PDB file of all heavy atoms in Angstrom:
ATOM      1  N   PHE R  60       0.684  25.371   4.473  1.00  0.00           N
ATOM      2  CA  PHE R  60       1.295  25.314   3.157  1.00  0.00           C
ATOM      3  C   PHE R  60       0.457  24.490   2.192  1.00  0.00           C
ATOM      4  O   PHE R  60       0.373  24.809   1.006  1.00  0.00           O
ATOM      5  CB  PHE R  60       2.717  24.751   3.255  1.00  0.00           C
ATOM      6  CG  PHE R  60       3.508  24.915   1.981  1.00  0.00           C
ATOM      7  CD1 PHE R  60       3.840  26.176   1.520  1.00  0.00           C
ATOM      8  CD2 PHE R  60       3.920  23.808   1.251  1.00  0.00           C
ATOM      9  CE1 PHE R  60       4.570  26.342   0.340  1.00  0.00           C
ATOM     10  CE2 PHE R  60       4.651  23.957   0.082  1.00  0.00           C
ATOM     11  CZ  PHE R  60       4.976  25.224  -0.373  1.00  0.00           C
ATOM     12  N   ASN R  94      -7.056   3.362 -20.300  1.00  0.00           N
ATOM     13  CA  ASN R  94      -6.099   2.732 -21.207  1.00  0.00           C
ATOM     14  C   ASN R  94      -6.236   1.212 -21.194  1.00  0.00           C
ATOM     15  O   ASN R  94      -6.188   0.563 -22.247  1.00  0.00           O
ATOM     16  CB  ASN R  94      -4.677   3.135 -20.824  1.00  0.00           C
ATOM     17  CG  ASN R  94      -4.378   4.587 -21.134  1.00  0.00           C
ATOM     18  OD1 ASN R  94      -5.039   5.208 -21.964  1.00  0.00           O
ATOM     19  ND2 ASN R  94      -3.373   5.138 -20.471  1.00  0.00           N
ATOM     20  N   TYR R 120     -12.701 -10.926 -18.410  1.00  0.00           N
ATOM     21  CA  TYR R 120     -13.454  -9.668 -18.418  1.00  0.00           C
ATOM     22  C   TYR R 120     -14.902  -9.903 -18.840  1.00  0.00           C
ATOM     23  O   TYR R 120     -15.842  -9.365 -18.246  1.00  0.00           O
ATOM     24  CB  TYR R 120     -12.763  -8.687 -19.360  1.00  0.00           C
ATOM     25  CG  TYR R 120     -13.366  -7.303 -19.400  1.00  0.00           C
ATOM     26  CD1 TYR R 120     -13.398  -6.501 -18.261  1.00  0.00           C
ATOM     27  CD2 TYR R 120     -13.872  -6.775 -20.584  1.00  0.00           C
ATOM     28  CE1 TYR R 120     -13.928  -5.222 -18.298  1.00  0.00           C
ATOM     29  CE2 TYR R 120     -14.396  -5.496 -20.642  1.00  0.00           C
ATOM     30  CZ  TYR R 120     -14.424  -4.720 -19.499  1.00  0.00           C
ATOM     31  OH  TYR R 120     -14.948  -3.459 -19.541  1.00  0.00           O
ATOM     32  N   LYS R 150     -12.956 -30.367  13.876  1.00  0.00           N
ATOM     33  CA  LYS R 150     -12.086 -29.194  13.792  1.00  0.00           C
ATOM     34  C   LYS R 150     -10.811 -29.452  12.989  1.00  0.00           C
ATOM     35  O   LYS R 150     -10.156 -28.498  12.562  1.00  0.00           O
ATOM     36  CB  LYS R 150     -11.763 -28.675  15.188  1.00  0.00           C
ATOM     37  CG  LYS R 150     -12.967 -27.965  15.821  1.00  0.00           C
ATOM     38  CD  LYS R 150     -12.612 -27.201  17.076  1.00  0.00           C
ATOM     39  CE  LYS R 150     -13.807 -26.378  17.552  1.00  0.00           C
ATOM     40  NZ  LYS R 150     -13.520 -25.623  18.799  1.00  0.00           N
ATOM     41  N   GLN R 154      -9.740 -26.886   9.991  1.00  0.00           N
ATOM     42  CA  GLN R 154      -8.427 -26.262   9.816  1.00  0.00           C
ATOM     43  C   GLN R 154      -7.878 -26.487   8.406  1.00  0.00           C
ATOM     44  O   GLN R 154      -7.072 -25.691   7.918  1.00  0.00           O
ATOM     45  CB  GLN R 154      -7.453 -26.787  10.874  1.00  0.00           C
ATOM     46  CG  GLN R 154      -7.807 -26.283  12.262  1.00  0.00           C
ATOM     47  CD  GLN R 154      -6.932 -26.893  13.337  1.00  0.00           C
ATOM     48  OE1 GLN R 154      -5.886 -26.354  13.692  1.00  0.00           O
ATOM     49  NE2 GLN R 154      -7.362 -28.034  13.851  1.00  0.00           N
ATOM     50  N   ALA R 182       8.099 -20.065   5.525  1.00  0.00           N
ATOM     51  CA  ALA R 182       6.671 -20.038   5.833  1.00  0.00           C
ATOM     52  C   ALA R 182       6.450 -19.080   6.999  1.00  0.00           C
ATOM     53  O   ALA R 182       7.335 -18.879   7.839  1.00  0.00           O
ATOM     54  CB  ALA R 182       6.187 -21.437   6.197  1.00  0.00           C
ATOM     55  N   PHE R 206     -21.424   1.916  13.389  1.00  0.00           N
ATOM     56  CA  PHE R 206     -20.756   0.993  12.456  1.00  0.00           C
ATOM     57  C   PHE R 206     -21.002  -0.460  12.869  1.00  0.00           C
ATOM     58  O   PHE R 206     -21.280  -1.323  12.029  1.00  0.00           O
ATOM     59  CB  PHE R 206     -19.252   1.262  12.421  1.00  0.00           C
ATOM     60  CG  PHE R 206     -18.854   2.524  11.697  1.00  0.00           C
ATOM     61  CD1 PHE R 206     -17.867   3.346  12.209  1.00  0.00           C
ATOM     62  CD2 PHE R 206     -19.467   2.883  10.510  1.00  0.00           C
ATOM     63  CE1 PHE R 206     -17.490   4.508  11.546  1.00  0.00           C
ATOM     64  CE2 PHE R 206     -19.100   4.046   9.838  1.00  0.00           C
ATOM     65  CZ  PHE R 206     -18.118   4.860  10.359  1.00  0.00           C
ATOM     66  N   ALA R 226     -30.551 -16.869  10.039  1.00  0.00           N
ATOM     67  CA  ALA R 226     -29.518 -15.859   9.800  1.00  0.00           C
ATOM     68  C   ALA R 226     -29.354 -14.908  10.974  1.00  0.00           C
ATOM     69  O   ALA R 226     -28.241 -14.464  11.269  1.00  0.00           O
ATOM     70  CB  ALA R 226     -29.827 -15.080   8.523  1.00  0.00           C
ATOM     71  N   ASN R 257       9.234 -10.892  14.725  1.00  0.00           N
ATOM     72  CA  ASN R 257      10.221 -11.912  14.376  1.00  0.00           C
ATOM     73  C   ASN R 257      10.327 -12.977  15.461  1.00  0.00           C
ATOM     74  O   ASN R 257      11.157 -12.897  16.370  1.00  0.00           O
ATOM     75  CB  ASN R 257      11.588 -11.248  14.155  1.00  0.00           C
ATOM     76  CG  ASN R 257      12.624 -12.239  13.667  1.00  0.00           C
ATOM     77  OD1 ASN R 257      12.300 -13.178  12.947  1.00  0.00           O
ATOM     78  ND2 ASN R 257      13.872 -12.034  14.066  1.00  0.00           N
ATOM     79  N   THR R 261       9.900 -23.818  15.118  1.00  0.00           N
ATOM     80  CA  THR R 261       9.658 -25.082  14.442  1.00  0.00           C
ATOM     81  C   THR R 261       8.172 -25.403  14.599  1.00  0.00           C
ATOM     82  O   THR R 261       7.446 -24.742  15.363  1.00  0.00           O
ATOM     83  CB  THR R 261      10.491 -26.203  15.069  1.00  0.00           C
ATOM     84  OG1 THR R 261      10.084 -26.348  16.448  1.00  0.00           O
ATOM     85  CG2 THR R 261      11.982 -25.886  15.001  1.00  0.00           C
ATOM     86  N   LEU R 290       7.847 -18.490  10.702  1.00  0.00           N
ATOM     87  CA  LEU R 290       7.796 -17.222  11.415  1.00  0.00           C
ATOM     88  C   LEU R 290       6.431 -17.079  12.080  1.00  0.00           C
ATOM     89  O   LEU R 290       5.408 -17.069  11.405  1.00  0.00           O
ATOM     90  CB  LEU R 290       8.028 -16.057  10.454  1.00  0.00           C
ATOM     91  CG  LEU R 290       8.146 -14.692  11.127  1.00  0.00           C
ATOM     92  CD1 LEU R 290       9.430 -14.592  11.930  1.00  0.00           C
ATOM     93  CD2 LEU R 290       8.092 -13.575  10.090  1.00  0.00           C
ATOM     94  N   ALA R 296      -1.131 -12.856  19.806  1.00  0.00           N
ATOM     95  CA  ALA R 296      -2.478 -12.939  19.233  1.00  0.00           C
ATOM     96  C   ALA R 296      -2.796 -14.380  18.844  1.00  0.00           C
ATOM     97  O   ALA R 296      -3.912 -14.871  19.096  1.00  0.00           O
ATOM     98  CB  ALA R 296      -2.589 -12.016  18.020  1.00  0.00           C
ATOM     99  N   LEU R 297      -1.828 -15.071  18.245  1.00  0.00           N
ATOM    100  CA  LEU R 297      -2.071 -16.454  17.839  1.00  0.00           C
ATOM    101  C   LEU R 297      -2.292 -17.360  19.041  1.00  0.00           C
ATOM    102  O   LEU R 297      -3.113 -18.289  18.991  1.00  0.00           O
ATOM    103  CB  LEU R 297      -0.906 -16.971  16.998  1.00  0.00           C
ATOM    104  CG  LEU R 297      -0.650 -16.260  15.664  1.00  0.00           C
ATOM    105  CD1 LEU R 297       0.391 -17.020  14.855  1.00  0.00           C
ATOM    106  CD2 LEU R 297      -1.929 -16.109  14.869  1.00  0.00           C
ATOM    107  N   ALA R 305     -10.485 -23.129  20.333  1.00  0.00           N
ATOM    108  CA  ALA R 305     -10.890 -24.310  21.101  1.00  0.00           C
ATOM    109  C   ALA R 305     -12.237 -24.110  21.784  1.00  0.00           C
ATOM    110  O   ALA R 305     -13.052 -25.046  21.869  1.00  0.00           O
ATOM    111  CB  ALA R 305      -9.821 -24.640  22.132  1.00  0.00           C
ATOM    112  N   GLU R 306     -12.489 -22.893  22.268  1.00  0.00           N
ATOM    113  CA  GLU R 306     -13.696 -22.630  23.054  1.00  0.00           C
ATOM    114  C   GLU R 306     -14.935 -22.403  22.191  1.00  0.00           C
ATOM    115  O   GLU R 306     -16.063 -22.525  22.681  1.00  0.00           O
ATOM    116  CB  GLU R 306     -13.464 -21.406  23.944  1.00  0.00           C
ATOM    117  CG  GLU R 306     -12.399 -21.634  25.022  1.00  0.00           C
ATOM    118  CD  GLU R 306     -11.929 -20.347  25.668  1.00  0.00           C
ATOM    119  OE1 GLU R 306     -12.426 -19.267  25.260  1.00  0.00           O
ATOM    120  OE2 GLU R 306     -11.056 -20.413  26.563  1.00  0.00           O
ATOM    121  N   PHE R 332     -26.457  -9.199  -3.959  1.00  0.00           N
ATOM    122  CA  PHE R 332     -25.261  -9.462  -3.140  1.00  0.00           C
ATOM    123  C   PHE R 332     -24.250  -8.320  -3.288  1.00  0.00           C
ATOM    124  O   PHE R 332     -23.715  -7.802  -2.298  1.00  0.00           O
ATOM    125  CB  PHE R 332     -24.580 -10.775  -3.577  1.00  0.00           C
ATOM    126  CG  PHE R 332     -25.351 -12.019  -3.282  1.00  0.00           C
ATOM    127  CD1 PHE R 332     -26.312 -12.493  -4.161  1.00  0.00           C
ATOM    128  CD2 PHE R 332     -25.093 -12.752  -2.124  1.00  0.00           C
ATOM    129  CE1 PHE R 332     -27.004 -13.658  -3.897  1.00  0.00           C
ATOM    130  CE2 PHE R 332     -25.778 -13.925  -1.854  1.00  0.00           C
ATOM    131  CZ  PHE R 332     -26.743 -14.376  -2.736  1.00  0.00           C
ATOM    132  N   THR R 343     -21.312   2.842   3.860  1.00  0.00           N
ATOM    133  CA  THR R 343     -21.348   3.042   5.314  1.00  0.00           C
ATOM    134  C   THR R 343     -19.962   3.299   5.893  1.00  0.00           C
ATOM    135  O   THR R 343     -19.768   4.278   6.626  1.00  0.00           O
ATOM    136  CB  THR R 343     -21.982   1.821   6.005  1.00  0.00           C
ATOM    137  OG1 THR R 343     -23.321   1.656   5.516  1.00  0.00           O
ATOM    138  CG2 THR R 343     -22.020   2.015   7.523  1.00  0.00           C
ATOM    139  N   LEU R 389      17.552  10.436 -12.433  1.00  0.00           N
ATOM    140  CA  LEU R 389      17.038  11.062 -11.211  1.00  0.00           C
ATOM    141  C   LEU R 389      17.339  10.206  -9.983  1.00  0.00           C
ATOM    142  O   LEU R 389      17.726  10.714  -8.925  1.00  0.00           O
ATOM    143  CB  LEU R 389      15.526  11.289 -11.334  1.00  0.00           C
ATOM    144  CG  LEU R 389      15.075  12.531 -12.095  1.00  0.00           C
ATOM    145  CD1 LEU R 389      13.603  12.423 -12.470  1.00  0.00           C
ATOM    146  CD2 LEU R 389      15.303  13.781 -11.263  1.00  0.00           C
ATOM    147  N   GLU R 402      27.056  11.079   4.830  1.00  0.00           N
ATOM    148  CA  GLU R 402      28.450  11.420   5.121  1.00  0.00           C
ATOM    149  C   GLU R 402      28.560  12.649   6.016  1.00  0.00           C
ATOM    150  O   GLU R 402      29.466  12.757   6.839  1.00  0.00           O
ATOM    151  CB  GLU R 402      29.206  11.670   3.811  1.00  0.00           C
ATOM    152  CG  GLU R 402      29.489  10.404   3.022  1.00  0.00           C
ATOM    153  CD  GLU R 402      30.180  10.673   1.706  1.00  0.00           C
ATOM    154  OE1 GLU R 402      30.162  11.841   1.246  1.00  0.00           O
ATOM    155  OE2 GLU R 402      30.736   9.716   1.124  1.00  0.00           O
ATOM    156  N   ARG R 412      27.834   4.939   9.964  1.00  0.00           N
ATOM    157  CA  ARG R 412      27.854   5.673   8.699  1.00  0.00           C
ATOM    158  C   ARG R 412      28.366   4.780   7.560  1.00  0.00           C
ATOM    159  O   ARG R 412      27.793   4.740   6.471  1.00  0.00           O
ATOM    160  CB  ARG R 412      28.733   6.907   8.840  1.00  0.00           C
ATOM    161  CG  ARG R 412      28.677   7.845   7.641  1.00  0.00           C
ATOM    162  CD  ARG R 412      29.771   8.911   7.663  1.00  0.00           C
ATOM    163  NE  ARG R 412      30.137   9.335   8.992  1.00  0.00           N
ATOM    164  CZ  ARG R 412      29.489  10.253   9.701  1.00  0.00           C
ATOM    165  NH1 ARG R 412      28.424  10.837   9.185  1.00  0.00           N
ATOM    166  NH2 ARG R 412      29.904  10.594  10.908  1.00  0.00           N
ATOM    167  N   MET R 524      13.594   5.517  -1.145  1.00  0.00           N
ATOM    168  CA  MET R 524      14.929   5.264  -0.604  1.00  0.00           C
ATOM    169  C   MET R 524      14.930   5.418   0.910  1.00  0.00           C
ATOM    170  O   MET R 524      15.574   4.646   1.638  1.00  0.00           O
ATOM    171  CB  MET R 524      15.939   6.236  -1.221  1.00  0.00           C
ATOM    172  CG  MET R 524      16.316   5.932  -2.646  1.00  0.00           C
ATOM    173  SD  MET R 524      17.632   7.043  -3.215  1.00  0.00           S
ATOM    174  CE  MET R 524      18.111   6.244  -4.731  1.00  0.00           C
ATOM    175  N   LYS R 550      21.968   4.056  17.322  1.00  0.00           N
ATOM    176  CA  LYS R 550      20.585   3.589  17.407  1.00  0.00           C
ATOM    177  C   LYS R 550      19.787   4.442  18.388  1.00  0.00           C
ATOM    178  O   LYS R 550      18.629   4.794  18.125  1.00  0.00           O
ATOM    179  CB  LYS R 550      20.565   2.123  17.847  1.00  0.00           C
ATOM    180  CG  LYS R 550      19.209   1.447  17.674  1.00  0.00           C
ATOM    181  CD  LYS R 550      18.888   1.265  16.208  1.00  0.00           C
ATOM    182  CE  LYS R 550      17.646   0.413  16.007  1.00  0.00           C
ATOM    183  NZ  LYS R 550      17.298   0.273  14.577  1.00  0.00           N
ATOM    184  N   LEU R 560       9.767  13.057  15.803  1.00  0.00           N
ATOM    185  CA  LEU R 560       8.917  13.179  14.619  1.00  0.00           C
ATOM    186  C   LEU R 560       7.544  12.564  14.884  1.00  0.00           C
ATOM    187  O   LEU R 560       6.509  13.151  14.533  1.00  0.00           O
ATOM    188  CB  LEU R 560       9.584  12.502  13.421  1.00  0.00           C
ATOM    189  CG  LEU R 560       8.901  12.726  12.066  1.00  0.00           C
ATOM    190  CD1 LEU R 560       8.963  14.188  11.659  1.00  0.00           C
ATOM    191  CD2 LEU R 560       9.551  11.848  10.991  1.00  0.00           C
ATOM    192  N   TRP R 628       0.677  16.172  -3.531  1.00  0.00           N
ATOM    193  CA  TRP R 628      -0.216  15.634  -2.502  1.00  0.00           C
ATOM    194  C   TRP R 628      -1.512  16.431  -2.440  1.00  0.00           C
ATOM    195  O   TRP R 628      -2.061  16.700  -1.390  1.00  0.00           O
ATOM    196  CB  TRP R 628       0.507  15.588  -1.150  1.00  0.00           C
ATOM    197  CG  TRP R 628       1.673  14.669  -1.248  1.00  0.00           C
ATOM    198  CD1 TRP R 628       2.989  15.004  -1.290  1.00  0.00           C
ATOM    199  CD2 TRP R 628       1.611  13.262  -1.417  1.00  0.00           C
ATOM    200  NE1 TRP R 628       3.759  13.882  -1.470  1.00  0.00           N
ATOM    201  CE2 TRP R 628       2.930  12.792  -1.551  1.00  0.00           C
ATOM    202  CE3 TRP R 628       0.559  12.334  -1.479  1.00  0.00           C
ATOM    203  CZ2 TRP R 628       3.237  11.451  -1.736  1.00  0.00           C
ATOM    204  CZ3 TRP R 628       0.864  10.991  -1.662  1.00  0.00           C
ATOM    205  CH2 TRP R 628       2.187  10.566  -1.776  1.00  0.00           C
ATOM    206  N   ASP R 673       4.101  32.450  12.564  1.00  0.00           N
ATOM    207  CA  ASP R 673       3.392  31.648  11.571  1.00  0.00           C
ATOM    208  C   ASP R 673       3.029  30.304  12.204  1.00  0.00           C
ATOM    209  O   ASP R 673       3.788  29.747  12.999  1.00  0.00           O
ATOM    210  CB  ASP R 673       4.269  31.423  10.341  1.00  0.00           C
ATOM    211  CG  ASP R 673       4.512  32.701   9.544  1.00  0.00           C
ATOM    212  OD1 ASP R 673       3.698  33.636   9.674  1.00  0.00           O
ATOM    213  OD2 ASP R 673       5.514  32.768   8.808  1.00  0.00           O
ATOM    214  N   LEU R 675       2.886  27.232  11.293  1.00  0.00           N
ATOM    215  CA  LEU R 675       3.721  26.055  11.083  1.00  0.00           C
ATOM    216  C   LEU R 675       5.153  26.245  11.573  1.00  0.00           C
ATOM    217  O   LEU R 675       5.951  25.310  11.537  1.00  0.00           O
ATOM    218  CB  LEU R 675       3.758  25.678   9.585  1.00  0.00           C
ATOM    219  CG  LEU R 675       2.453  25.176   8.969  1.00  0.00           C
ATOM    220  CD1 LEU R 675       2.641  24.888   7.487  1.00  0.00           C
ATOM    221  CD2 LEU R 675       1.942  23.932   9.687  1.00  0.00           C
ATOM    222  N   PRO R 679      14.407  26.437  15.269  1.00  0.00           N
ATOM    223  CA  PRO R 679      15.414  25.528  14.685  1.00  0.00           C
ATOM    224  C   PRO R 679      15.709  24.303  15.530  1.00  0.00           C
ATOM    225  O   PRO R 679      15.868  23.196  14.992  1.00  0.00           O
ATOM    226  CB  PRO R 679      16.640  26.427  14.534  1.00  0.00           C
ATOM    227  CG  PRO R 679      16.064  27.796  14.338  1.00  0.00           C
ATOM    228  CD  PRO R 679      14.831  27.841  15.211  1.00  0.00           C
TER     229      PRO R 679
END
Side-chain angles (χ1 to χ4, degrees):
F60 191 65
N94 289 339
Y120 184 62
K150 286 192 173 179
Q154 290 175 91
F206 287 139
N257 185 33
T261 62
L290 186 69
L297 297 189
E306 294 166 359
F332 291 86
T343 300
L389 278 164
E402 287 177 343
R412 188 192 327 277
M524 286 186 168
K550 193 69 172 178
L560 188 65
W628 298 107
D673 292 338
L675 293 178

